[in-house]
Amino acid sequence: MSVIATPLPILSDNYAWLLRDTSSGAVAVVDPADARAVIEAVKREGGRLDLILLTHHHDDHIAGTDEVRARFGCKVVGAAADAYRLPPLDQAVREGDTVALGQAIGRVIDTPGHTRGHISYYFPDGGVLICADTLFSLGCGKLLEGTAEEMFSSLQKFSLLPGETLVCCGHEYTESNARFALSVDPDNTALQARAAEVKRLRAEGKPTVPSTIASELAANPFIRATDAEMLGRLRAKKDVFR
Ligand code: ZN
Ligand code: FE
């Protein structure tokens, strides 16, 4: 019994994620912002869609939701705190709530920072973390609504997950994140190795994600920040980094 996560590149640099519970065959899609691309992908995978999982209210994550729901008649899950600015929800969730994908159970983690109502989903079976715009590979989301303190505590929650947990984030930002990360932590050999791997993957036109919690803990300066102040300083620096 396990959840398999597959990245689906959509829009310019977003990832929707297809999640399949191997024991029941149930399928979910995370953040289906491009309805046509998601519908085509679901059809390719057998035409079954049980669930839409939403992480936060930004258009590049929710835009296709109503169309995909209408096409497959699936349920939509999102943050109760943000229900007023999300598409209509069939299940409104908070920290610690669970979401059933067939036999697999996902736990909801409250992860404010990028937005106030940003949530993440963790499926222990398969070790899948859906973290959208909170944690990126080698980076973290911009603090558009939340504070450095909130982002710090959100990233701390992720750092407690098993090292092999798959980090399924919302954007392909890894190559530019690597440039910034190397500018602030040039002697980190794990980061140097990851940056080289990322360069090769992108040159081959492949996604750099999912990464793992262990890899991020070794190479990502944002999840490695030791306090909120340090995280805030890094994030401000990254905001103006070219
Ligand atoms: Zn966003
Ligand atoms: Fe986004």
Side-chain angles (χ1 to χ4, degrees):
M1 181 163 97
S2 189
V3 171
I4 308 282
T6 311
L8 176 65
I10 59 169
L11 310 179
S12 56
D13 53 29
N14 279 75
Y15 285 118
W17 289 86
L18 286 175
L19 306 181
R20 176 185 296 274
D21 169 40
T22 55
S23 47
S24 64
V27 176
V29 64
V30 179
D31 291 350
D34 179 340
R36 186 187 299 204
V38 166
I39 289 167
E40 283 310 309
V42 169
K43 285 203 285 194
R44 272 199 309 276
E45 297 292 314
R48 172 173 178 176
L49 187 65
D50 301 79
L51 218 54
I52 293 173
L53 301 178
L54 301 178
T55 61
H56 68 295
H57 73 92
H58 288 154
D59 228 37
D60 64 315
H61 297 260
I62 65 172
T65 301
D66 291 331
E67 197 178 333
V68 174
R69 181 208 322 248
R71 174 68 177 72
F72 296 104
C74 53
K75 286 204 317 179
V76 178
V77 182
D82 263 0
Y84 71 97
R85 54 181 177 174
L86 292 171
L89 301 177
D90 299 292
Q91 189 184 353
V93 294
R94 300 175 193 283
E95 168 90 15
D97 285 353
T98 56
V99 174
L101 174 63
Q103 309 288 309
I105 301 296
R107 199 176 81 224
V108 175
I109 310 176
D110 194 26
T111 51
H114 176 63
T115 67
R116 271 188 300 276
H118 193 300
I119 57 172
S120 299
Y121 301 87
Y122 172 56
F123 290 87
D125 298 320
V128 170
L129 173 66
I130 300 296
C131 52
D133 292 4
T134 300
L135 174 65
F136 295 122
S137 185
L138 302 182
C140 79
K142 281 190 180 166
L143 303 176
L144 297 179
E145 298 176 4
T147 63
E149 285 75 16
E150 288 171 327
M151 180 60 86
F152 179 74
S153 83
S154 295
L155 296 180
Q156 286 295 109
K157 292 177 185 177
F158 294 159
S159 71
L160 299 175
L161 297 174
E164 67 272 19
T165 302
L166 297 171
V167 173
C168 303
C169 62
H171 289 269
E172 181 57 67
Y173 289 160
T174 319
E175 207 166 13
S176 68
N177 286 344
R179 274 198 302 279
F180 174 76
L182 284 168
S183 79
V184 294
D185 193 9
D187 300 327
N188 182 331
T189 53
L191 170 57
Q192 292 163 359
R194 172 68 175 147
E197 178 191 38
V198 163
K199 201 167 185 180
R200 180 178 55 75
L201 286 168
R202 293 313 289 161
E204 292 169 4
K206 291 179 181 160
T208 64
V209 294
S211 69
T212 63
I213 288 292
S215 165
E216 299 307 320
L217 286 174
N220 182 333
F222 295 91
I223 200 169
R224 289 166 64 79
T226 50
D227 57 40
E229 199 197 321
M230 181 179 176
L231 174 63
R233 263 200 323 272
L234 280 171
R235 189 56 259 186
K237 230 173 150 178
K238 172 76 162 69
D239 286 346
V240 296
F241 182 78
R242 290 286 172 271

